[in-house]
Amino acid sequence: MLSAKSVFQEILDNDESFRLFCSIAASGEAQGGWENGRIAALVPEGERALVPKIVRHGADEDKHGRIFNALLRNRGLEPAPVPPRTDYTMLLERRGIGLAHDKLRRDEPLSVQDLIVYLAHSRVTEQRAAEQMALLRRHFGDHPQVGKAFRMISDDEANHLAYTHEELLRFAASGYGRLIQRTLRACALAEIRVHRDVSLAVMAHMGRILGWSKARRAALAAGIRAAYVYERAAGWRRMVSLRTPDRRDPLGGPATTAPEFA
């Protein structure tokens, strides 16, 4: 039967497809770590209370990258080159979503509006990450090779998502509500397009590695496109709503370590 669990089981069982999966994931997490590090260094004076949380966010992303690389090493595999069409973070930046890397490379303080762009971008992308890791955790949380890693990353992504809700609500209470909603909507609509394109590219690469039939490739591509149609019509709204999270001050402490994966 064609299901998310059966597809990922195939990817997990094959060294080359697992290598590509972990390499794509590690690259994206490392990029997120760099971005958060630069944002933390550029936070304006009036918002310095945010710095430890942004640093924690970046440390978590760096940790996730190390975990995916450790999963590769545990199988005796080297990281694979990341095909450009599967580079989620790069494609989002090209669409103007989030803070431009050129801005982050300059040593100029960010504005409050810049912080809202950063948080809105994180709110949308962490929604996707939290959902995907929750799915992997549900199906493979007890797996002897990847279960512990998936559980740890899933917990972190849930914390990241809660943090973005909390901080955006704080800014909304300060009078930035309309800017936040406009920015969230633009981010969400761009993200679902990028997610569709990246998903199609990843599945095409996996199909070639795993020798999927044309019929199976077509069925998976149709499923990805159908999910996009739903998200374009209504599903994007889950990415722009804001509510007080159950996890309060989720990034208020130091990042947890993962020595068993180092």
Side-chain angles (χ1 to χ4, degrees):
M1 185 176 73
L2 196 60
S3 66
K5 182 177 181 179
S6 65
V7 169
F8 191 78
Q9 187 68 62
E10 284 190 66
I11 293 170
L12 180 63
D13 290 343
N14 179 278
D15 279 351
E16 279 305 305
S17 56
F18 184 69
R19 178 177 177 239
L20 180 60
F21 165 78
C22 287
S23 299
I24 292 171
S27 174
E29 297 287 1
Q31 187 64 56
W34 177 84
E35 289 173 356
N36 278 278
R38 289 302 302 153
I39 290 166
L42 302 175
V43 170
E45 192 62 37
E47 295 294 337
R48 299 300 293 175
L50 259 179
V51 170
K53 299 178 183 182
I54 300 172
V55 169
R56 163 75 185 275
H57 191 181
D60 283 345
E61 302 286 4
D62 285 335
K63 177 184 71 179
H64 300 168
R66 293 195 302 273
I67 288 173
F68 281 114
N69 281 319
L71 291 175
L72 287 174
R73 289 197 303 273
N74 290 344
R75 292 254 299 244
L77 302 172
E78 293 292 328
V82 175
R85 291 177 61 203
T86 70
D87 194 331
Y88 175 78
T89 54
M90 179 190 71
L91 292 172
L92 281 173
E93 189 199 2
R94 285 183 178 176
R95 285 189 173 271
I97 300 303
L99 294 175
H101 287 183
D102 286 347
K103 178 186 283 285
L104 295 182
R105 291 188 181 98
R106 296 196 295 266
D107 291 324
E108 299 173 5
L110 301 174
S111 65
V112 169
Q113 289 80 2
D114 290 329
L115 292 179
I116 288 171
V117 168
Y118 151 67
L119 287 165
H121 169 258
S122 296
R123 159 72 183 93
V124 170
T125 56
E126 293 296 345
Q127 177 83 37
R128 183 74 69 188
E131 290 171 353
Q132 291 182 331
M133 290 311 304
L135 178 69
L136 291 176
R137 180 178 189 159
R138 184 164 66 250
H139 292 313
F140 299 97
D142 295 326
H143 191 280
Q145 288 184 341
V146 300
K148 193 169 189 177
F150 287 176
R151 294 194 305 271
M152 181 178 291
I153 296 172
S154 181
D155 283 341
D156 287 345
E157 301 296 9
N159 281 336
H160 299 168
L161 182 58
Y163 148 74
T164 63
H165 277 268
E166 197 169 68
E167 296 303 328
L168 284 169
L169 284 169
R170 179 175 67 84
F171 278 115
S174 299
Y176 292 96
R178 288 189 176 182
L179 173 63
I180 289 168
Q181 283 303 314
R182 287 198 307 271
T183 309
L184 281 171
R185 187 178 188 276
C187 284
L189 293 176
E191 192 280 341
I192 63 174
R193 289 193 296 272
V194 169
H195 180 257
R196 175 201 59 191
D197 295 344
V198 167
S199 297
L200 288 170
V202 170
M203 285 301 106
H205 282 281
M206 294 302 179
R208 285 192 289 272
I209 291 170
L210 296 168
W212 288 340
S213 66
K214 288 184 179 180
R216 188 166 201 194
R217 293 188 200 189
L220 285 167
I224 291 167
R225 291 190 176 97
Y228 168 74
V229 169
Y230 163 73
E231 290 199 323
R232 185 66 182 82
W236 63 272
R237 297 181 188 280
R238 78 190 188 285
M239 295 179 163
V240 303
S241 62
L242 294 174
R243 61 177 178 80
T244 301
D246 295 330
R247 303 184 184 208
R248 304 306 299 273
D249 195 24
L251 298 188
T256 56
T257 57
E260 66 273 31
F261 296 108

